[in-house]
Amino acid sequence: AQSVTQPDIHITVSEGASLELRCNYSYGATPYLFWYVQSPGQGLQLLLKYFSGDTLVQGIKGFEAEFKRSQSSFNLRKPSVHWSDAAEYFCAVGPGGYNKLIFGAGTRLAVHP
Amino acid sequence: NAGVMQNPRHLVRRRGQEARLRCSPMKGHSHVYWYRQLPEEGLKFMVYLQKENIIDESGMPKERFSAEFPKEGPSILRIQQVVRGDSAAYFCASSQGAETSGANVLTFGAGSRLTVL
């Protein structure tokens, strides 16, 4: 069955520290991969996406993610976290065709000053 | 260029009442998706519509839920005879085209949060 797993429900980091949010997927073929961020009471904003090509993708707000086919992973990273990065982060996969995305349960990020 | 507009942002209903959630896609977008987010969970696909057509409703509960996207006006998600388990955030998203691609990435609205008493 197709699924997305985000193993960390909550993560707390200090401002200025590096960040890595994990995402593993189960899918029969190479999927399209996305990271979205959701601030409290807001909709989802696309951070970055992977469709093909270079496995290291750059996104907005200084985020990047690396697709590792052998590990079925698409982890999100940021070298230095800002207090404004506190939010919930969702990894999603798409089968191609139309945008019927499968989302992980999310990782809630807290940032300490 | 306004984004995806959803209203109401918050809706409170008593059990057995009807809930209607509206979604106006981004200008130029003709593909609309509804997703539901239950508390402490990720988003789950419900339905995909194009103008006057339901393309995929495989994520919709079989009873009480319906969706439409008329030729004119917003897309509507309708929940009849609501129950407490319907309490959730309902997100609408739109895209310019159908195929998953860089040009057709979903843009999400801010969501409608339904509370059933």
Side-chain angles (χ1 to χ4, degrees), chain A residues 34-38 42-47 90 92 99-103, chain B residues 2-6 9 23-26 29 31-37 42-47 89-95 104-112:
Chain A
F34 307 83
W35 274 99
Y36 283 87
V37 60
Q38 183 182 29
Q42 302 298 312
L44 278 74
Q45 182 182 23
L46 180 68
L47 284 176
F90 292 96
N99 284 297
K100 188 175 178 180
L101 302 185
I102 301 167
F103 282 84
Chain B
V4 177
M5 304 303 292
Q6 290 189 248
R9 292 292 307 277
C23 169
S24 296
M26 278 189 69
H29 286 192
H31 301 259
V32 167
Y33 299 75
W34 286 93
Y35 285 78
R36 177 166 66 173
Q37 184 181 30
L43 281 72
K44 298 286 195 298
F45 169 82
M46 299 182 75
V47 62
Y90 293 83
F91 287 95
C92 174
S94 69
S95 66
N104 293 331
V105 173
L106 289 179
T107 300
F108 281 84
S112 292

Side-chain angles (χ1 to χ4, degrees), chain A:
Chain A
Q2 302 162 7
S3 65
V4 176
T5 301
Q6 294 181 245
D8 305 304
I9 299 174
H10 296 278
I11 284 184
T12 300
V13 299
S14 298
E15 191 169 17
S18 62
L19 172 70
E20 183 170 32
L21 303 182
R22 295 182 291 165
C23 172
N24 294 96
Y25 65 89
S26 173
Y27 197 76
T30 300
Y32 298 123
L33 296 157
F34 307 83
W35 274 99
Y36 283 87
V37 60
Q38 183 182 29
S39 298
Q42 302 298 312
L44 278 74
Q45 182 182 23
L46 180 68
L47 284 176
L48 48 78
K49 60 188 182 293
Y50 173 79
F51 287 168
S52 64
D54 192 346
T55 56
L56 183 64
V57 294
Q58 303 296 320
I60 61 171
K61 303 185 180 186
F63 286 92
E64 66 177 27
E66 186 171 12
F67 169 55
K68 293 186 176 180
R69 185 190 306 273
S70 61
Q71 299 176 21
S72 297
S73 69
F74 189 55
N75 294 347
L76 182 71
R77 300 194 293 252
K78 186 170 184 177
S80 177
V81 171
H82 188 263
W83 64 266
S84 60
D85 293 325
E88 188 149 23
Y89 292 80
F90 292 96
C91 180
V93 302
Y98 52 87
N99 284 297
K100 188 175 178 180
L101 302 185
I102 301 167
F103 282 84
T107 297
R108 188 157 293 170
L109 174 66
V111 180
H112 280 188

